């Protein structure tokens, strides 16, 4: 299966900061470039952390009054998380306010893998790394949504080429493939139940597919056969291939 890679939708002109970048300069970058976050890199372009608007707002909201004496006993009773937040409230560089370690993705990973990472790690953007772990781009949730803008004709062509022809080794017109607004409807009759399951499962994995409506039937239910007795995908028994 061919999936769009993260590198195909990422932004390569990445606004970044270094550990020593002043806090106010980070805020200025976010405001001027109209972005909600950026990566922090070291001298070798390796990502060491990320900063979001939330980090900056948290820093401001928790900043201590410069004229207010700081009780020594307060920090001693704090949890490690609370101590980190307290440290951020006094931060004046990107490295001190950033969130680390960063959640990243590689350019060769699929869009589906990047989306899964975003959801699982509750992040809005991912710095994109090359094979040497250096920053080469950044991808946001909005970038990943571009996959759903694929034309229906393009999705239909991939279903026919990748699923029917290449994987199941079936003639392109074996079943009807109808696509509307990313919703794929598969209609027709295949030889084996396992083929219908493969067709539906692989179609769901194609970039841009919103959902699959399964209207497939089969001549032979091979789902109860032992795994060793099932023929390889796309190689059906001649008897089953003959019209009924």
């Amino acid at each position: 299966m061919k999936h769009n890679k993260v590198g195909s939708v990422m932004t390569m002109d990445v606004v970044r900061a270094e550990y020593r970048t002043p806090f106010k300069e980070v805020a200025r970058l976010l405001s001027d470039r109209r972005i909600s976050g950026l990566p922090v890199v070291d001298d070798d372009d390796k990502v060491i952390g990320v900063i979001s608007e939330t980090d900056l707002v948290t820093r401001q909201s928790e900043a201590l009054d410069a004229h207010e004496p700081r009780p020594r006993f307060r920090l001693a009773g704090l949890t490690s998380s609370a101590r980190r937040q307290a440290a951020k409230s006094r931060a004046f560089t990107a490295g001190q306010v950033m969130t680390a370690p960063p959640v990243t993705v590689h350019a060769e990973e699929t869009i589906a893998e990047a989306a899964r990472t975003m959801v699982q790690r509750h992040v809005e953007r991912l710095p994109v790394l090359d094979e040497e772990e250096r920053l080469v781009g950044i991808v946001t949730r909005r970038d990943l949504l571009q996959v759903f803008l694929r034309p229906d004709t393009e999705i239909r062509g991939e279903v026919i080429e990748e699923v029917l022809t290449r994987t199941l080794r079936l003639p392109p017109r074996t079943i009807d493939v109808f696509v509307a607004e990313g919703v794929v409807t598969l209609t027709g009759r295949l030889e084996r139940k396992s083929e219908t399951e493969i067709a539906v499962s692989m179609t769901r994995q194609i970039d841009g597919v919103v959902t699959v409506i399964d209207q497939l039937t089969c001549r032979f239910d091979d789902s109860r056969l032992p795994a060793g007795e099932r023929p390889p995908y796309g190689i059906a028994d001649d008897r089953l291939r003959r019209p009924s």
Side-chain angles (χ1 to χ4, degrees), residues 36-100:
S36 59
L38 53 77
V40 181
V41 299
D42 61 15
D43 295 336
D44 198 30
D45 255 358
K46 303 288 182 65
V47 181
I48 57 176
V50 294
I51 296 177
S52 68
E53 289 177 329
T54 302
D55 292 320
L56 300 190
V57 171
T58 299
R59 190 270 189 201
Q60 288 300 89
S61 66
E62 296 186 357
L64 297 173
D65 189 327
H67 301 290
E68 180 184 340
R70 190 175 303 129
R72 294 183 179 180
F73 65 85
R74 276 178 66 179
L75 292 180
L78 296 178
T79 64
S80 59
S81 176
R83 283 196 295 271
R84 285 196 298 270
Q85 291 300 100
K88 282 189 177 185
S89 72
R90 300 187 299 277
F92 58 89
T93 68
Q96 293 171 330
V97 77
M98 71 183 183
T99 296

Side-chain angles (χ1 to χ4, degrees), residues 93-161:
T93 68
Q96 293 171 330
V97 77
M98 71 183 183
T99 296
V103 181
T104 61
V105 68
H106 287 83
E108 287 304 307
E109 291 186 48
T110 66
I111 289 175
E113 290 170 331
R116 189 177 303 115
T117 298
M118 282 188 177
V119 171
Q120 292 176 344
R121 302 298 296 273
H122 306 287
V123 295
E124 299 290 334
R125 70 198 60 79
L126 293 169
V128 183
L129 312 180
D130 62 13
E131 295 178 353
E132 297 180 347
E133 305 298 316
R134 290 188 172 89
L135 180 68
V136 292
I138 195 162
V139 65
T140 66
R141 292 194 177 195
R142 179 173 297 179
D143 295 327
L144 300 186
L145 287 176
Q146 291 181 23
V147 70
F148 291 108
L149 301 180
R150 291 186 72 189
D152 290 337
T153 53
E154 188 176 309
I155 295 174
R156 181 177 185 274
E158 187 168 344
V159 173
I160 293 173
E161 175 65 24

Side-chain angles (χ1 to χ4, degrees), residues 159-180:
V159 173
I160 293 173
E161 175 65 24
E162 297 291 336
V163 180
L164 301 185
T165 305
R166 184 168 299 179
T167 301
L168 294 175
R169 305 181 198 174
L170 298 171
R173 297 181 182 276
T174 303
I175 62 176
D176 293 326
V177 180
F178 178 74
V179 186

